[in-house]
Amino acid sequence: MPDPTNADVTVVVATRDRAGELRRSLRRHAAPVIVADNASRDGTPAVAEAAGATVLRLPRNRGAAARNAGAQLAATPYVAFADDDSWWAPGALERAVEILDAHPRTALLAARILVGEEERPEPVSEEMARAPLGRPDGLPGPAVLGFLACSVIVRRDAFLDAGGFSDVLHFGGEEELLALDLAAAGWGLAYVPELVVHHHPSALGRDPAARRRRQARNRLLTAWLRRPLPVVARAAASALGSRDGRAALAGAARALPSVAGARRPVPPAVEAARARLSGY
């Protein structure tokens, strides 16, 4: 059961139709939990309530943006995100709060992710550990411009001021846009490997090909929203080279009218950092 005495951090879980996963994971959280339910049809809210979580029943599936609603409901200065199949290791949240308290210009800490019973290192964590953006003074670890949402703790006010996760991107690669917006607002984002998250992904209901296409679509939309037009052109041209890429490009084109007016390129220093990373 969550520890109701933790006054500094709330765990927010966005979910939909994942009652079985929540039944296994909720008991592992060591802080109060808000479950933002994306209009589930399988009894997920009842499972979450029975486990002692606060349940926010959303009238429609908002995807990753359900986390925004959970963060708005939270009354703590920090919000840790988890998926319905992940949880923070014992002591990690308390340590994360200490680190954020000591680094007031840092808005986000990304934890090291261990996958499955075998506790395999998550490739994204290994990439962040290589510190391609260096270790700037004042940050508690290597700088990052991306993360996996199930493994981060954020300064609640900074997260909400940046707009949180995009409703248009839904799920799949939604993290980069938020990372760019936090960095553009002058916040630091850091990878701190002493913080650990356990992730036990289930294959139930997952479609890897569809997820790849959504991620590619969201990379294109993020490029349009925050990056220079030559980068957008290169990204679109690259997408034409594969079947999944063409599907992603078509999906991005369909979504473009809803984000056309939201284009806001990041400052040059943030773009320079993003350009140092792999990909376009």
Side-chain angles (χ1 to χ4, degrees):
M1 293 291 292
D3 177 5
T5 65
N6 193 324
D8 295 311
V9 60
T10 302
V11 175
V12 170
V13 179
T15 190
R16 185 171 193 263
D17 292 340
R18 305 270 285 178
E21 283 76 8
L22 278 179
R23 194 174 284 115
R24 290 189 292 271
S25 65
L26 282 179
R27 61 185 174 83
R28 298 177 180 267
H29 292 299
V33 180
I34 294 174
V35 171
D37 181 71
N38 276 311
S40 287
R41 302 157 295 182
D42 70 342
T44 289
V47 167
E49 287 171 345
T54 298
V55 178
L56 183 59
R57 298 172 185 248
L58 301 176
R60 62 182 177 85
N61 183 3
R62 292 184 59 191
R67 301 184 187 116
N68 305 348
Q72 288 166 343
L73 184 61
T76 52
Y78 305 119
V79 171
F81 295 114
D83 285 350
D84 42 40
D85 52 11
S86 75
W87 56 90
W88 290 73
L93 291 177
E94 292 84 351
R95 179 60 182 141
V97 166
E98 292 175 353
I99 294 169
L100 286 167
D101 282 347
H103 296 82
R105 292 306 303 163
T106 299
L108 179 149
L109 302 180
R112 179 164 52 99
I113 304 172
L114 301 179
V115 181
E117 296 291 345
E118 306 87 355
E119 299 193 341
R120 303 184 307 276
E122 163 63 52
V124 171
S125 297
E126 294 184 313
E127 176 61 25
M128 289 191 288
R130 285 190 278 272
L133 299 181
R135 300 169 182 264
D137 291 342
L139 281 185
V144 297
L145 271 179
F147 53 87
L148 293 182
C150 71
S151 66
V152 296
I153 180 170
V154 298
R155 201 174 295 275
R156 176 181 175 273
D157 288 349
F159 170 80
L160 293 175
D161 287 347
F165 291 100
S166 166
D167 278 279
V168 174
L169 299 186
H170 208 255
F171 268 126
E174 71 274 11
E175 297 92 346
E176 183 185 358
L177 181 60
L178 173 61
L180 291 171
D181 285 347
L182 286 169
W187 289 104
L189 297 79
Y191 173 61
V192 182
E194 70 176 281
L195 307 177
V196 172
V197 162
H198 296 280
H199 188 202
H200 288 215
S202 166
L204 183 65
R206 297 181 186 271
D207 183 340
R211 184 171 181 83
R212 285 196 307 272
R213 291 190 292 271
R214 285 198 306 272
Q215 289 173 328
R217 164 195 179 269
N218 288 344
R219 283 195 298 273
L220 289 163
L221 287 171
T222 298
W224 162 257
L225 286 165
R226 298 292 182 264
R227 306 200 61 199
L229 289 177
V231 172
V232 179
R234 289 198 299 273
S238 176
L240 291 172
S242 70
R243 186 174 186 177
D244 281 351
R246 290 189 293 273
L249 190 58
R254 288 192 294 270
L256 195 58
S258 63
V259 299
R263 178 171 162 77
R264 189 173 67 250
V266 296
V270 177
E271 171 56 30
R274 175 60 183 86
R276 290 167 59 186
L277 302 175
S278 59
Y280 50 76

Short mmCIF file of all heavy atoms in Angstrom, two decimals, residues 135-169:
data_model
loop_
_atom_site.label_atom_id
_atom_site.label_comp_id
_atom_site.label_asym_id
_atom_site.label_seq_id
_atom_site.Cartn_x
_atom_site.Cartn_y
_atom_site.Cartn_z
N ARG A 135 27.87 16.91 -18.74
CA ARG A 135 27.44 17.01 -17.34
C ARG A 135 27.60 18.46 -16.89
O ARG A 135 28.56 18.81 -16.21
CB ARG A 135 28.30 16.08 -16.46
CG ARG A 135 28.21 14.62 -16.86
CD ARG A 135 29.27 13.79 -16.15
NE ARG A 135 29.22 12.41 -16.57
CZ ARG A 135 28.59 11.44 -15.92
NH1 ARG A 135 27.94 11.73 -14.80
NH2 ARG A 135 28.58 10.20 -16.36
N PRO A 136 26.66 19.32 -17.27
CA PRO A 136 26.79 20.74 -16.93
C PRO A 136 26.83 20.98 -15.43
O PRO A 136 26.22 20.25 -14.64
CB PRO A 136 25.52 21.36 -17.54
CG PRO A 136 25.08 20.38 -18.58
CD PRO A 136 25.46 19.03 -18.06
N ASP A 137 27.55 22.02 -15.04
CA ASP A 137 27.58 22.41 -13.63
C ASP A 137 26.16 22.72 -13.15
O ASP A 137 25.37 23.32 -13.89
CB ASP A 137 28.47 23.64 -13.44
CG ASP A 137 29.94 23.35 -13.67
OD1 ASP A 137 30.32 22.16 -13.63
OD2 ASP A 137 30.70 24.31 -13.90
N GLY A 138 25.88 22.34 -11.93
CA GLY A 138 24.58 22.64 -11.36
C GLY A 138 23.55 21.55 -11.55
O GLY A 138 22.49 21.59 -10.93
N LEU A 139 23.83 20.57 -12.42
CA LEU A 139 22.92 19.44 -12.59
C LEU A 139 23.42 18.26 -11.75
O LEU A 139 24.62 18.06 -11.61
CB LEU A 139 22.84 19.02 -14.06
CG LEU A 139 21.96 19.83 -15.00
CD1 LEU A 139 21.91 19.17 -16.38
CD2 LEU A 139 20.55 20.01 -14.47
N PRO A 140 22.51 17.43 -11.26
CA PRO A 140 22.92 16.29 -10.44
C PRO A 140 23.35 15.06 -11.25
O PRO A 140 23.61 14.01 -10.66
CB PRO A 140 21.66 15.98 -9.63
CG PRO A 140 20.54 16.42 -10.50
CD PRO A 140 21.04 17.63 -11.23
N GLY A 141 23.42 15.19 -12.57
CA GLY A 141 23.83 14.08 -13.42
C GLY A 141 23.92 14.54 -14.85
O GLY A 141 23.78 15.73 -15.15
N PRO A 142 24.15 13.63 -15.79
CA PRO A 142 24.22 14.00 -17.21
C PRO A 142 22.95 14.70 -17.68
O PRO A 142 21.85 14.31 -17.31
CB PRO A 142 24.41 12.65 -17.92
CG PRO A 142 24.99 11.75 -16.89
CD PRO A 142 24.40 12.18 -15.59
N ALA A 143 23.11 15.72 -18.51
CA ALA A 143 21.96 16.41 -19.09
C ALA A 143 21.25 15.50 -20.08
O ALA A 143 21.89 14.71 -20.79
CB ALA A 143 22.41 17.69 -19.77
N VAL A 144 19.92 15.62 -20.14
CA VAL A 144 19.14 14.83 -21.09
C VAL A 144 18.13 15.74 -21.78
O VAL A 144 17.74 16.78 -21.26
CB VAL A 144 18.41 13.65 -20.40
CG1 VAL A 144 19.40 12.67 -19.80
CG2 VAL A 144 17.42 14.14 -19.34
N LEU A 145 17.71 15.31 -22.98
CA LEU A 145 16.62 15.97 -23.71
C LEU A 145 15.60 14.94 -24.14
O LEU A 145 14.92 15.12 -25.15
CB LEU A 145 17.16 16.73 -24.91
CG LEU A 145 17.57 18.18 -24.66
CD1 LEU A 145 18.12 18.81 -25.94
CD2 LEU A 145 16.41 19.01 -24.12
N GLY A 146 15.50 13.88 -23.39
CA GLY A 146 14.53 12.83 -23.65
C GLY A 146 14.52 11.88 -22.46
O GLY A 146 15.43 11.93 -21.63
N PHE A 147 13.52 11.04 -22.40
CA PHE A 147 13.37 10.13 -21.27
C PHE A 147 12.22 9.19 -21.57
O PHE A 147 11.52 9.36 -22.58
CB PHE A 147 13.09 10.93 -19.98
CG PHE A 147 11.92 11.88 -20.09
CD1 PHE A 147 10.63 11.47 -19.84
CD2 PHE A 147 12.13 13.21 -20.46
CE1 PHE A 147 9.56 12.34 -19.96
CE2 PHE A 147 11.06 14.09 -20.57
CZ PHE A 147 9.78 13.65 -20.32
N LEU A 148 12.03 8.20 -20.72
CA LEU A 148 10.82 7.39 -20.75
C LEU A 148 9.95 7.84 -19.59
O LEU A 148 10.40 7.92 -18.44
CB LEU A 148 11.16 5.91 -20.63
CG LEU A 148 11.91 5.30 -21.81
CD1 LEU A 148 12.14 3.81 -21.59
CD2 LEU A 148 11.17 5.53 -23.12
N ALA A 149 8.69 8.13 -19.87
CA ALA A 149 7.84 8.79 -18.88
C ALA A 149 7.66 7.97 -17.61
O ALA A 149 7.45 8.54 -16.54
CB ALA A 149 6.48 9.11 -19.49
N CYS A 150 7.75 6.66 -17.70
CA CYS A 150 7.54 5.84 -16.50
C CYS A 150 8.68 5.95 -15.51
O CYS A 150 8.62 5.36 -14.42
CB CYS A 150 7.33 4.38 -16.89
SG CYS A 150 8.82 3.55 -17.49
N SER A 151 9.72 6.71 -15.84
CA SER A 151 10.93 6.72 -15.00
C SER A 151 11.37 8.11 -14.61
O SER A 151 12.55 8.33 -14.34
CB SER A 151 12.08 6.04 -15.75
OG SER A 151 12.45 6.80 -16.89
N VAL A 152 10.44 9.07 -14.55
CA VAL A 152 10.85 10.42 -14.21
C VAL A 152 10.04 10.96 -13.03
O VAL A 152 8.89 10.60 -12.82
CB VAL A 152 10.74 11.41 -15.40
CG1 VAL A 152 11.68 11.01 -16.51
CG2 VAL A 152 9.31 11.53 -15.89
N ILE A 153 10.70 11.85 -12.30
CA ILE A 153 10.05 12.65 -11.28
C ILE A 153 10.25 14.10 -11.68
O ILE A 153 11.33 14.48 -12.14
CB ILE A 153 10.61 12.37 -9.87
CG1 ILE A 153 9.89 13.22 -8.81
CG2 ILE A 153 12.10 12.54 -9.80
CD1 ILE A 153 10.22 12.82 -7.38
N VAL A 154 9.19 14.90 -11.56
CA VAL A 154 9.23 16.27 -12.03
C VAL A 154 8.86 17.23 -10.91
O VAL A 154 8.17 16.88 -9.95
CB VAL A 154 8.27 16.50 -13.22
CG1 VAL A 154 8.67 15.64 -14.41
CG2 VAL A 154 6.82 16.25 -12.81
N ARG A 155 9.34 18.45 -11.07
CA ARG A 155 8.88 19.56 -10.23
C ARG A 155 7.49 19.92 -10.75
O ARG A 155 7.35 20.36 -11.91
CB ARG A 155 9.88 20.70 -10.35
CG ARG A 155 9.85 21.71 -9.23
CD ARG A 155 10.98 22.72 -9.39
NE ARG A 155 12.30 22.12 -9.27
CZ ARG A 155 12.92 21.91 -8.11
NH1 ARG A 155 12.34 22.26 -6.98
NH2 ARG A 155 14.13 21.37 -8.09
N ARG A 156 6.48 19.74 -9.94
CA ARG A 156 5.09 19.84 -10.41
C ARG A 156 4.81 21.17 -11.10
O ARG A 156 4.22 21.20 -12.21
CB ARG A 156 4.13 19.64 -9.24
CG ARG A 156 2.65 19.82 -9.60
CD ARG A 156 1.77 19.62 -8.39
NE ARG A 156 0.37 19.89 -8.69
CZ ARG A 156 -0.18 21.10 -8.62
NH1 ARG A 156 0.56 22.15 -8.27
NH2 ARG A 156 -1.46 21.26 -8.91
N ASP A 157 5.19 22.28 -10.50
CA ASP A 157 4.87 23.58 -11.09
C ASP A 157 5.55 23.77 -12.43
O ASP A 157 4.96 24.31 -13.37
CB ASP A 157 5.27 24.71 -10.13
CG ASP A 157 4.35 24.79 -8.91
OD1 ASP A 157 3.30 24.11 -8.92
OD2 ASP A 157 4.69 25.52 -7.97
N ALA A 158 6.81 23.34 -12.55
CA ALA A 158 7.52 23.46 -13.82
C ALA A 158 6.86 22.61 -14.90
O ALA A 158 6.72 23.04 -16.06
CB ALA A 158 8.98 23.06 -13.64
N PHE A 159 6.46 21.42 -14.53
CA PHE A 159 5.79 20.52 -15.47
C PHE A 159 4.50 21.15 -15.99
O PHE A 159 4.24 21.18 -17.21
CB PHE A 159 5.50 19.19 -14.77
CG PHE A 159 4.61 18.25 -15.53
CD1 PHE A 159 5.11 17.47 -16.55
CD2 PHE A 159 3.25 18.15 -15.22
CE1 PHE A 159 4.29 16.60 -17.26
CE2 PHE A 159 2.43 17.28 -15.91
CZ PHE A 159 2.95 16.50 -16.94
N LEU A 160 3.68 21.67 -15.08
CA LEU A 160 2.40 22.25 -15.50
C LEU A 160 2.60 23.54 -16.27
O LEU A 160 1.91 23.80 -17.26
CB LEU A 160 1.52 22.48 -14.28
CG LEU A 160 1.04 21.21 -13.57
CD1 LEU A 160 0.26 21.57 -12.31
CD2 LEU A 160 0.18 20.34 -14.49
N ASP A 161 3.58 24.36 -15.87
CA ASP A 161 3.85 25.59 -16.60
C ASP A 161 4.29 25.31 -18.03
O ASP A 161 4.00 26.10 -18.94
CB ASP A 161 4.93 26.41 -15.89
CG ASP A 161 4.43 27.07 -14.60
OD1 ASP A 161 3.20 27.10 -14.38
OD2 ASP A 161 5.27 27.53 -13.82
N ALA A 162 5.00 24.20 -18.24
CA ALA A 162 5.46 23.83 -19.58
C ALA A 162 4.34 23.22 -20.43
O ALA A 162 4.54 22.98 -21.63
CB ALA A 162 6.62 22.84 -19.49
N GLY A 163 3.20 22.97 -19.83
CA GLY A 163 2.07 22.42 -20.58
C GLY A 163 1.90 20.93 -20.47
O GLY A 163 0.95 20.37 -21.03
N GLY A 164 2.83 20.26 -19.77
CA GLY A 164 2.70 18.82 -19.61
C GLY A 164 2.82 18.08 -20.93
O GLY A 164 3.51 18.52 -21.86
N PHE A 165 2.17 16.95 -21.00
CA PHE A 165 2.21 16.13 -22.21
C PHE A 165 1.12 16.56 -23.19
O PHE A 165 0.03 16.97 -22.79
CB PHE A 165 2.02 14.65 -21.86
CG PHE A 165 3.18 14.06 -21.11
CD1 PHE A 165 3.13 13.89 -19.73
CD2 PHE A 165 4.33 13.68 -21.77
CE1 PHE A 165 4.19 13.35 -19.03
CE2 PHE A 165 5.41 13.14 -21.08
CZ PHE A 165 5.34 12.98 -19.71
N SER A 166 1.40 16.43 -24.47
CA SER A 166 0.50 16.89 -25.52
C SER A 166 -0.68 15.94 -25.72
O SER A 166 -0.50 14.73 -25.84
CB SER A 166 1.28 17.01 -26.84
OG SER A 166 0.40 17.15 -27.93
N ASP A 167 -1.88 16.51 -25.80
CA ASP A 167 -3.05 15.72 -26.16
C ASP A 167 -2.95 15.19 -27.59
O ASP A 167 -3.42 14.09 -27.89
CB ASP A 167 -4.32 16.57 -26.03
CG ASP A 167 -4.84 16.66 -24.61
OD1 ASP A 167 -5.52 15.72 -24.17
OD2 ASP A 167 -4.56 17.66 -23.93
N VAL A 168 -2.33 15.96 -28.47
CA VAL A 168 -2.26 15.56 -29.88
C VAL A 168 -1.34 14.37 -30.06
O VAL A 168 -1.63 13.44 -30.84
CB VAL A 168 -1.79 16.74 -30.75
CG1 VAL A 168 -1.57 16.29 -32.20
CG2 VAL A 168 -2.82 17.87 -30.71
N LEU A 169 -0.23 14.32 -29.33
CA LEU A 169 0.71 13.21 -29.49
C LEU A 169 0.17 11.92 -28.90
O LEU A 169 0.59 10.83 -29.30
CB LEU A 169 2.06 13.56 -28.84
CG LEU A 169 2.79 14.77 -29.42
CD1 LEU A 169 4.17 14.91 -28.78
CD2 LEU A 169 2.91 14.70 -30.93
#
